[in-house]
């Protein structure tokens, strides 16, 4: 049940699927995401953040100042004037001490309440489904014994659309800003007169007694958001912005009798107009679409209906996989927050967070394929579309653009390809997709190369070319050439850069490219086996056998050339020297090759697999998780590249790069060691860190990309929360390999690998529209061996559950033994 036990900064409310923050002074802004298709907002626990339409760089609605002071500057702010007291219900920006504060981050919404001198303001923020706007539903309540005469000011600062230009091109931008005000709606129409067919609005469903649209007029000279002049004097200026920085601020006078409540619905929205309908009069924007949107949310009843639609949507999504165990932390991580983070990562890729500025890179080929394994069971149709988009940026030889642009869906030529782990991730995502959905038809889709339709082949052929890319690009030890980098973007073995303005990712100063990757070798065996299995499913026996020959050769090459005695080597460098060996002074052992080789089962027959895992436990594991390499580099090594630029214990140099920890968890399950697999899971799973919240700094409900490692100056401190492959991989590790509910071509496969002292747990899994209610019993303290399985009371042979008619429900008992 829900853990209502209050911690220093907040607690989980599992019944409501919320994290409840009880103080605005969290160690770092703790954010949430609103929106799930086109209109998105980031919102912190003090209402900081911003909104954008589809693209955080090119269509940013509101301004946000990254890496500024005070931290988290910019947001949707409210100011309440109550006699001599001025306060903000989300604490910021005024930072007046509140009598009570609470922020509830839920699934696609946040509710922030503040109370001061008997007045409570509670604001529910969400993006209604199918709408291009953010609702801010404020309820003001007077619980004092006297009548309150309040003055309410809202505030949003417009971004001039292109977020990068907005923060650099002041010689132009200070002259372009334009607004219109009509009734209670403030319209932001910068550049609408020329090439933009979109504008934004900020409205409230009450008549207003004034407004401001000019930031400098609202704030007064030299003031910050914490001391606006109009708020201080309690009177708006009704300013109209001409250039400089346009804002939207409503002014409302509210009188509340004792016990009285009033609701105000603010909407911050985006509208696109057809070219020929842009104007209603010369220079006056056509507001019909905007007004229609505003009207859809102009009453509490309408807002509540739409909010219920959102919560129902999430309840339904999160009903597809539900674990019920005695461990409430496990339940909340698996059932709520991990899946939620998977969806946010799907929507955002690596674009917009409090660590990703929304103006940077496009979507990664490898990142997107991996993200997919965490959300495919939630939104399979969108996974299908994503796969086709990704595969369309592949080259004819099976390699791929490393990134692509979400708006154009084209490969990013500035970055190019040559990250040699990229091709095989496509095999993973496609096989995972088919196992989840049973939709083999995707393999027949005609998919272009380099977005050139004339070169299209079947998607299956794309997988074959992915596979062949590896076999066509082997180095002198029979191991795959690494190219610019493999999964570890910072292990740049052909880069050799002494020029600070060169990119480690795209520079290759060393001709010849001899360096080989053991990580890709393990990845090739792991996903190569998936490819073989797929071929067999399709009856392509000859292709399966051909592929088996290559995979077997790779296993032999790894055993012959990639075993260091106690663990797997990481690579061979550009000179053919070993990387990740006991012979080196630093970085003797790396995690990635241990992860991929053990997940692939390499060395299970001769003890290498177990020994590799034991070495991870001995050298890489620590209290906060498993570090990437050890001992960390202490100086720049030109032949290794960016990895050696990070101070010890951070990022790819000895940090706990949470993305790769689940590879080891899965490796442990391959070895049959459920205790150790689960112990690693709890080391980094957010729900288990309640004693480390302050140290971690970042949100206690989501994974961060990195936790500082044991050699860091600040071990245990997390950074880069939210947008990371960590979410998807940990979800797969816990649900499929530890809890052991694994989609397979012919049905759900049951293969738990759990701590021996777990006696029972159950999982409700909706798989291809059939609900399986599975109880796993373990009275004799096993970890993974199955005694018997019954389905609706009948014993079945093997461990794959039969398929049934859509909509039906079946009871499964699994007895370990
Ligand atoms: C980041 C990148 C990912 C890479 C990882 C390790 O998470 O998004 O592509 O694999 O860093 O370098
Ligand atoms: C490093 C970062 C990763 C990023 C890459 C390229 O690998 O860890 O997050 O993708 O650099 O900028």
């Amino acid at each position: 049940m829900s853990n209502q036990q209050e911690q220093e900064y907040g607690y989980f409310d599992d019944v409501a699927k919320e994290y409840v923050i009880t103080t605005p002074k969290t160690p770092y802004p703790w954010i949430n995401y609103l929106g799930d298709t086109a209109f998105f907002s980031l919102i912190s626990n003090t209402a900081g953040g911003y909104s954008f339409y589809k693209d955080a760089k090119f269509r940013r609605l509101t301004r946000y100042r990254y890496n500024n002071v005070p931290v988290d500057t910019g947001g949707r702010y409210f100011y309440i004037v109550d006699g001599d007291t001025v306060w903000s219900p989300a604490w910021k920006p005024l930072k007046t001490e509140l009598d009570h504060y609470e922020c509830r981050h839920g699934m696609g919404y946040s509710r922030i309440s503040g109370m001061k001198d008997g007045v409570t303001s509670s604001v529910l923020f969400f993006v209604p489904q199918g709408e291009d706007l953010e609702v801010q539903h404020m309820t003001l309540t007077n619980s004092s014994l006297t009548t309150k005469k309040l003055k309410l000011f809202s505030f949003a600062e417009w971004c001039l659309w292109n977020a990068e230009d907005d923060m650099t091109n002041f010689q132009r931008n200070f002259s372009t800003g334009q607004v219109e005000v009509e009734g209670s709606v403030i319209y932001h129409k910068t550049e609408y007169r020329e090439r933009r067919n979109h504008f934004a609005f900020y409205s409230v469903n009450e008549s207003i007694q004034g407004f401001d649209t000019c930031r400098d007029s609202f704030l007064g000279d030299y003031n910050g958001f914490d001391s606006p002049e109009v708020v201080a004097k309690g009177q708006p200026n009704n300013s109209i912005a001409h250039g400089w920085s346009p804002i939207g601020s409503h002014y409302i006078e509210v009188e509340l009798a004792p016990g009285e409540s009033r609701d105000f619905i603010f909407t911050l929205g985006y509208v696109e107009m057809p070219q020929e309908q842009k104007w209603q009069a010369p220079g006056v924007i056509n507001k019909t679409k905007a007004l229609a949107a505003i009207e859809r949310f102009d009453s509490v009843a309408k807002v509540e209906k739409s909010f219920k639609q959102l919560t129902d949507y999430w309840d339904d999504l999160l009903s597809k996989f539900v674990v019920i165990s005695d461990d409430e932390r496990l339940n909340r991580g698996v059932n709520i927050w991990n899946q939620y983070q998977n969806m946010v990562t799907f929507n955002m890729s690596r674009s917009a967070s409090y660590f990703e500025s929304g103006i940077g890179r496009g979507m990664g080929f490898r990142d997107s394929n991996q993200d997919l394994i965490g959300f495919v069971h939630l939104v399979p149709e969108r996974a299908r579309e994503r796969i086709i988009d990704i595969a369309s940026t592949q080259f004819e030889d099976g390699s791929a653009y490393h990134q692509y642009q979400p708006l154009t869906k084209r490969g990013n030529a500035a970055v190019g390809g040559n990250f040699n782990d990229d091709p095989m991730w496509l095999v993973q995502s496609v096989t995972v997709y088919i196992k989840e959905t049973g939709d083999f038809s995707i393999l027949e889709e005609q998919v272009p190369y380099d977005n050139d339709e004339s070169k299209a082949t079947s998607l299956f052929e794309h997988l074959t070319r992915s596979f062949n890319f590896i076999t066509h690009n082997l180095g002198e030890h029979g191991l795959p050439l690494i190219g610019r980098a493999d999964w570890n973007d910072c292990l740049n073995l052909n880069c050799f850069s002494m020029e600070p303005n060169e990119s480690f990712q795209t520079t290759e100063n060393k001709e010849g490219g001899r360096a080989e990757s053991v990580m890709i070798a393990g990845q090739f065996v792991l996903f190569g086996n998936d490819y073989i299995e797929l071929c067999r499913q399709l009856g392509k026996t000859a292709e399966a056998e051909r592929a088996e020959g290559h995979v077997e050769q790779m296993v032999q090459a790894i055993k012959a050339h990639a075993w260091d005695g106690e663990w797997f080597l990481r690579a061979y460098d550009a000179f053919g020297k070993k990387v990740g060996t006991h012979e080196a002074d630093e970085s003797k052992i790396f995690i990635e090759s241990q992860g991929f080789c053990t997940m692939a089962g390499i060395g299970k027959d001769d003890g290498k697999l177990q020994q590799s895992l034991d070495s991870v436990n001995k050298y890489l594991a620590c209290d906060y998780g498993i570090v990437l390499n050890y001992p960390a580099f202490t100086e720049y090594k030109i032949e290794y590249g960016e990895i050696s630029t990070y101070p010890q214990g951070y990022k790819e140099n000895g940090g706990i790069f949470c993305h790769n920890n689940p590879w080891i968890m899965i490796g442990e399950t391959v070895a049959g060691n459920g205790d150790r697999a689960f112990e690693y899971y709890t080391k980094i799973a957010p729900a288990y860190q309640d004693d480390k919240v302050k140290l971690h700094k970042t949100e206690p409900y989501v994974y961060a990309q990195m936790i500082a490692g044991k050699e860091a100056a600040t071990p245990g401190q997390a950074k880069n929360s939210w947008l990371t492959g960590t979410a998807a991989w940990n979800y797969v590790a816990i649900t499929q390999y530890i809890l052991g509910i694994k989609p397979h071509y012919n049905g759900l496969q049951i293969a738990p690998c759990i701590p021996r002292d777990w006696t029972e747990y159950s999982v409700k899994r909706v798989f291809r529209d059939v609900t399986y209610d599975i109880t796993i019993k373990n009275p004799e303290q096993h970890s993974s061996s199955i005694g018997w399985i019954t389905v609706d009371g009948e014993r079945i042979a093997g461990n794959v559950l039969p398929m049934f008619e859509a909509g039906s429900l079946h009871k499964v008992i699994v007895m370990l033994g």
Side-chain angles (χ1 to χ4, degrees), residues 41-54:
S41 299
L42 283 71
I43 182 166
S44 72
N45 57 310
T46 56
Y50 58 95
S51 303
F52 63 92
Y53 177 77
K54 285 191 180 169

Side-chain angles (χ1 to χ4, degrees), residues 356 361 366-367 402-403 487-490 505 642 646 651-652 657 705 720:
E356 300 274 13
R361 57 210 180 123
R366 80 158 81 89
D367 291 347
H402 193 47
Q403 295 172 3
W487 171 87
N488 189 334
D489 270 336
C490 299
Q505 271 72 47
E642 186 170 4
Y646 287 115
K651 291 284 275 183
E652 282 91 337
F657 216 89
Q705 180 203 54
N720 203 0

Side-chain angles (χ1 to χ4, degrees), residues 561-576:
H561 302 293
W563 182 249
D564 190 55
E566 276 182 77
W567 55 77
F568 293 101
L569 294 175
R570 177 63 178 85
Y572 282 95
D573 71 13
F575 309 106

Side-chain angles (χ1 to χ4, degrees), residues 12 19 29-33 105-107 332-333 336-345 353-355 658 684-689 693 696-707 718-724 726-727 730:
F12 289 96
Y19 188 85
W30 287 355
I31 73 164
N32 194 13
Y33 287 86
H105 282 322
M107 306 287 108
R332 86 168 51 107
I336 306 173
W337 292 98
N338 198 166
Q339 297 195 65
Y340 184 57
Q341 186 175 5
N342 291 346
M343 281 296 283
V344 169
T345 311
S353 72
Y354 268 27
F355 297 85
C658 298
I684 61 167
Y688 291 85
Q689 313 308 322
V693 169
H696 264 258
K697 278 177 96 85
T698 57
E699 295 89 340
Y701 37 91
V702 290
Y703 285 98
Q705 180 203 54
M706 190 224 40
I707 300 170
K719 287 178 191 146
N720 203 0
S721 52
W722 282 100
L723 306 182
T724 161
T726 306
N730 275 277

Side-chain angles (χ1 to χ4, degrees), residues 225-238:
F225 297 136
D226 58 348
S227 52
E229 201 172 272
V230 299
V231 176
K233 71 174 181 174
Q235 200 59 58
N237 289 335
N238 298 335

